[in-house]
Amino acid sequence: MRITELLTKDTIAMDLSASDKNGVIDELVNQLDKAGKLSDIAQFKEAIHNRESQSTTGIGEGIAIPHAKVAAVKSPAIAFGKSKEGVDYQSLDGQPAHLFFMIAAPEGGAQTHLDALAKLSGILMDDKVRESLLHATSPEEVLQIIDNADDEATKEEEKESQEQEASASGAVANDSTDATNSNGPYVLAVTACPTGIAHTYMARDALKKQADKMGVKMKVETNGSGGIKNHITQQDIDRATGVIVAADVHVETDRFDGKNVVEVPVADGIKRPEELINTALDTSRKPFVARGGHTKSTDSQSNEKQSFGKAFYKHLMNGVSNMLPLVIAGGILMAIVFLFGANSFDPKSSEHNAFAEQLWNIGNKSAFALIIPILSGFIARSIADKPGFAAGLVGGMLAISGGSGFIGGIIAGFLAGYLTQGIKYITRGLPQALEGLKPTLIYPLLSVTITGLLMIYAFNPPAAWLNNLLLNGLNSLSGSNIMLLGLVIGAMMAIDMGGPFNKAAYVFATAALTEGNAAPITAAMIGGMIPPLAIATAMLIFKRKFTKEQRGSIVPNYVMGLSFITEGAIPFAAADPLRVIPSMMIGSGIGGAIALGLGSSINAPHGGIIVILATDFSHILQTLLALVVGTIVSALIYGFLKPKVTKEEIQASEAMDE
């Protein structure tokens, strides 16, 4: 679709009379309304102002592109206006804006419309186009300028598309889309903005234009309204010198583990591309570390070639990381409720407190109620990007209603994700005219329906049976059995301190807590608190075995340990894993076993000593005993195993202090 199918004579205002930002918005909105493009002028104007409140659409270089994607738009359109005097539009470069393009996109707009809007965003990065528009004297001249620029942009897109196809088939391309056979610097970039219409593509073009000037090969992945385009492959990542992530919304960054990554707002990609490229080329910067905390080996393979285990873990952790804020917020709110009384949330109890009841509703009935759907939704999204999200959420809700709990939620996430991928594959041959319906109608309708039916009739019954079997087994544990559970979970929390084993134990414990069994989370919290506490204690007991710099972390480690932040021990584990990790595992396992053996029951998933006091005050002595014994055991083992600090280490520490 050509831009001039959206920008027409009746949507061009030419010389604006407005002297401020709000006036410009009013004139352009009125122009669109007069052209019959809007069904609700007030709703559209509100959407425009809401977008401005996120960040200004005055992108600099004398341009402003206010835009909104909302149901109030009858048909997609672009309004144009200009001001020779200039208007203070709170632009990124602080300069007045002279050229204004207001983009009106309907919800669920066809992909061809979105592509045209994206093309306009790129065209406006051309100095000659902007200069010509500023001196245009009629709507016809404006349209001619845009048409000519559209022709050039279309030729460039066709050239890039051909080169990408050639690269994918094994041919050697000459442009920046194929740098795998070049020895020069190679930079990757990812751009994304909230609406995926304007800034995403303007940042792309600003970066590519600057890269060409600098002689740097670059590939840019865009996360726009139509999904991910020009997808960065593992081969690209392995070859790249650095990566620029210019985004105002979440994009997947774990894939860049170990690379030089520059993360900035999308506006920075537009206004300071040269600085970003130079930073991405600076190989002296500290490498980016993914959430998993482990740097990939140089022979790591692409997602498509990952082993099943690695892919499963990646997608599961994506769901877990997005679920954790709900777990933590909900759990701490529930812990606070217990400070008002054990039954203060119950209107039928004599301890009832109205405020405590509302906190309980927020924490337990809202935050905790969303845990499984969010887990499922983000697992599905990790597999199939945005199209898989809706089916994942619905599958998670059905897991709750069907009684399959966390097990069903995990199944639902993977089911929805891979099912959506299958639907994408099957529908790839549909006519181009239906392309815009895929993300808004075809994908969600088919994936939600099929996921829902499969969950109800195929997966929920056995998953619910397994879930009940697991819970009944946990509830029946007692004596030495429950101490063994505490030993295993506590030790797992200390194996990698935030890595796969730690996360697996924590997810299992959280799942049990949502079903009413607090034993696993009790062992997990005790086991997770001990490593930093033990490290700090070892430094107090064995002072001569640690440098002055290391001993400076004693207080922070006590604070982190008491707050259930296991990561405080990571620097010591990374520097001396063969001594630190086994000693921490032994103490954490013993602490978890003692806590469960003595009847401790922490009814919140996070918070450390605060939630212990709030939710299990009747067992506070037993819980503290478990913490103290586990801490001392780990501290003593580590202290005895650790050799004395060398003169070289002391000198290096003193040099850092100076």
Side-chain angles (χ1 to χ4, degrees):
M1 172 177 278
R2 298 190 65 81
I3 296 172
T4 49
E5 292 180 49
L6 304 177
L7 175 66
T8 57
K9 287 178 64 175
D10 57 352
T11 62
I12 295 177
M14 289 305 291
D15 296 318
L16 301 174
S17 60
S19 59
D20 61 16
K21 181 175 182 176
N22 290 335
V24 169
I25 291 175
D26 288 343
E27 284 193 59
L28 294 178
V29 170
N30 289 335
Q31 191 70 30
L32 288 169
D33 188 50
K34 284 191 295 184
K37 304 298 183 181
L38 306 178
S39 60
D40 188 330
I41 186 172
Q43 185 183 354
F44 178 72
K45 188 181 294 186
E46 181 183 3
I48 288 288
H49 283 291
N50 286 340
R51 175 61 186 85
E52 293 294 328
S53 67
Q54 296 177 29
S55 63
T56 180
T57 58
I59 62 171
E61 304 291 344
I63 304 170
I65 309 183
H67 54 275
K69 185 178 180 183
V70 64
V73 177
K74 287 183 184 178
S75 58
I78 302 171
F80 170 75
K82 65 188 180 75
S83 169
K84 289 187 177 180
E85 294 76 16
V87 174
D88 180 7
Y89 205 88
Q90 301 168 352
S91 298
L92 295 174
D93 58 4
Q95 299 300 312
H98 298 274
L99 302 175
F100 305 91
F101 288 84
M102 179 172 282
I103 298 175
E107 286 185 342
Q111 183 58 42
T112 51
H113 298 150
L114 298 174
D115 289 343
L117 299 175
K119 193 190 301 181
L120 170 66
S121 302
I123 284 173
L124 293 177
M125 300 309 296
D126 190 315
D127 298 339
K128 294 179 180 178
V129 172
R130 297 198 302 270
E131 187 68 20
S132 299
L133 288 171
L134 188 60
H135 293 94
T137 58
S138 67
E140 290 81 5
E141 189 176 353
V142 169
L143 294 174
Q144 186 60 52
I145 293 167
I146 295 296
D147 258 337
N148 292 339
D150 197 340
D151 289 337
E152 292 297 320
T154 300
K155 290 177 184 177
E156 185 65 26
E157 286 180 357
E158 290 174 351
K159 178 184 175 183
E160 288 189 1
S161 177
Q162 291 170 358
E163 289 172 342
Q164 289 172 24
E165 290 176 3
S167 176
S169 63
V172 177
N174 295 319
D175 193 43
S176 61
T177 55
D178 179 29
T180 57
N181 298 310
S182 171
N183 293 321
Y186 184 38
V187 174
L188 303 176
V190 183
T191 62
C193 65
T195 58
I197 295 174
H199 287 61
T200 297
Y201 303 98
M202 298 188 78
R204 173 199 65 185
D205 291 318
L207 288 166
K208 290 183 68 176
K209 183 178 178 181
Q210 184 60 43
D212 287 340
K213 286 182 181 179
M214 299 169 65
V216 175
K217 294 187 179 296
M218 173 176 282
K219 178 175 181 178
V220 184
E221 173 185 294
T222 55
N223 287 230
S225 293
I228 296 175
K229 297 290 182 68
N230 206 26
H231 180 69
I232 290 172
T233 66
Q234 188 62 45
Q235 186 179 19
D236 292 321
I237 296 170
D238 292 341
R239 167 70 179 83
T241 307
V243 183
I244 299 168
V245 179
D248 289 337
V249 295
H250 170 74
V251 296
E252 180 57 51
T253 55
D254 278 5
R255 52 187 163 155
F256 304 132
D257 192 16
K259 306 301 290 188
N260 173 25
V261 177
V262 187
E263 293 186 84
V264 295
V266 68
D268 285 7
I270 300 170
K271 66 180 181 179
R272 52 189 190 99
E274 183 176 5
E275 179 185 342
L276 298 182
I277 293 171
N278 283 329
T279 305
L281 293 173
D282 182 4
T283 55
S284 66
R285 298 179 74 241
K286 185 178 180 180
F288 172 74
V289 178
R291 282 187 297 268
H294 301 288
T295 303
K296 295 181 292 187
S297 61
T298 54
D299 62 346
S300 61
Q301 299 187 353
S302 66
N303 292 338
E304 291 81 3
K305 296 180 181 180
Q306 280 184 337
S307 67
F308 172 78
K310 288 183 179 179
F312 178 87
Y313 177 73
K314 172 194 168 187
H315 301 316
L316 178 61
M317 286 303 103
N318 193 59
V320 170
S321 65
N322 285 283
M323 171 197 82
L324 284 181
L326 292 168
V327 173
I328 293 169
I332 291 178
L333 282 174
M334 291 162 61
I336 293 172
V337 168
F338 287 116
L339 294 175
F340 291 89
N343 297 299
S344 58
F345 60 89
D346 185 358
K348 299 178 181 179
S349 172
S350 60
E351 296 181 328
H352 176 250
N353 180 288
F355 182 67
E357 181 186 359
Q358 296 308 318
L359 290 180
W360 184 264
N361 290 338
I362 296 170
N364 182 268
K365 296 184 179 180
S366 297
F368 262 43
L370 288 169
I371 288 174
I372 293 177
I374 291 297
L375 172 69
S376 304
F378 278 95
I379 289 174
R381 180 168 179 164
S382 177
I383 297 168
D385 200 39
K386 292 179 183 178
F389 191 53
L393 290 175
V394 172
M397 291 296 294
L398 290 170
I400 295 174
S401 62
S404 56
F406 263 76
I407 295 174
I410 293 171
I411 292 172
F414 283 97
L415 172 65
Y418 286 116
L419 179 64
T420 303
Q421 287 288 72
I423 292 170
K424 285 183 179 181
Y425 181 80
I426 293 170
T427 59
R428 70 192 188 285
L430 290 178
Q432 181 65 27
L434 298 177
E435 193 69 23
L437 293 177
K438 286 183 179 179
T440 58
L441 176 62
I442 297 174
Y443 295 157
L445 179 61
L446 292 178
S447 62
V448 167
T449 302
I450 299 173
T451 297
L453 291 173
L454 287 174
M455 283 299 297
I456 293 170
Y457 293 110
F459 292 103
N460 257 345
W465 173 82
L466 182 60
N467 190 51
N468 289 330
L469 181 67
L470 177 63
L471 291 174
N472 291 335
L474 284 175
N475 291 331
S476 66
L477 290 177
S478 61
S480 60
N481 288 331
I482 200 166
M483 291 184 71
L484 178 61
L485 175 70
L487 179 72
V488 172
I489 292 179
M492 286 180 70
M493 292 296 292
I495 293 178
D496 47 9
M497 305 176 196
F501 285 98
N502 176 286
K503 287 291 189 295
Y506 188 72
V507 170
F508 169 74
T510 303
L513 180 63
T514 61
E515 300 289 349
N517 191 305
I521 198 64
T522 300
M525 193 173 298
I526 295 298
M529 293 170 71
I530 284 173
L533 294 175
I535 293 292
T537 303
M539 287 189 284
L540 284 177
I541 299 173
F542 302 92
K543 290 183 179 181
R544 294 184 179 181
K545 291 191 174 185
F546 297 88
T547 65
K548 181 180 178 182
E549 180 194 6
Q550 290 173 326
R551 294 198 301 273
S553 67
I554 290 176
V555 173
N557 266 289
Y558 274 125
V559 172
M560 285 189 279
L562 292 173
S563 302
F564 185 34
I565 302 174
T566 314
E567 287 78 1
I570 287 179
F572 293 87
D576 192 8
L578 294 180
R579 295 184 180 90
V580 173
I581 292 176
S583 56
M584 297 303 116
M585 286 177 61
I586 293 170
S588 291
I590 290 174
I594 292 174
L596 295 193
L598 296 179
S600 296
S601 181
I602 303 171
N603 284 277
H606 213 282
I609 194 66
I610 295 175
V611 299
I612 292 174
L613 291 170
T615 66
D616 193 32
F617 190 77
S618 61
H619 292 92
I620 187 63
L621 293 178
Q622 294 93 320
T623 306
L624 289 177
L625 177 63
L627 269 177
V628 170
V629 171
T631 296
I632 292 176
V633 168
S634 285
L636 291 176
I637 294 175
Y638 176 44
F640 284 124
L641 290 176
K642 190 181 187 306
K644 290 183 179 180
V645 65
T646 64
K647 291 182 179 180
E648 290 76 13
E649 289 175 322
I650 294 173
Q651 290 171 354
S653 176
E654 290 174 347
M656 292 183 66
D657 289 340
E658 294 172 0

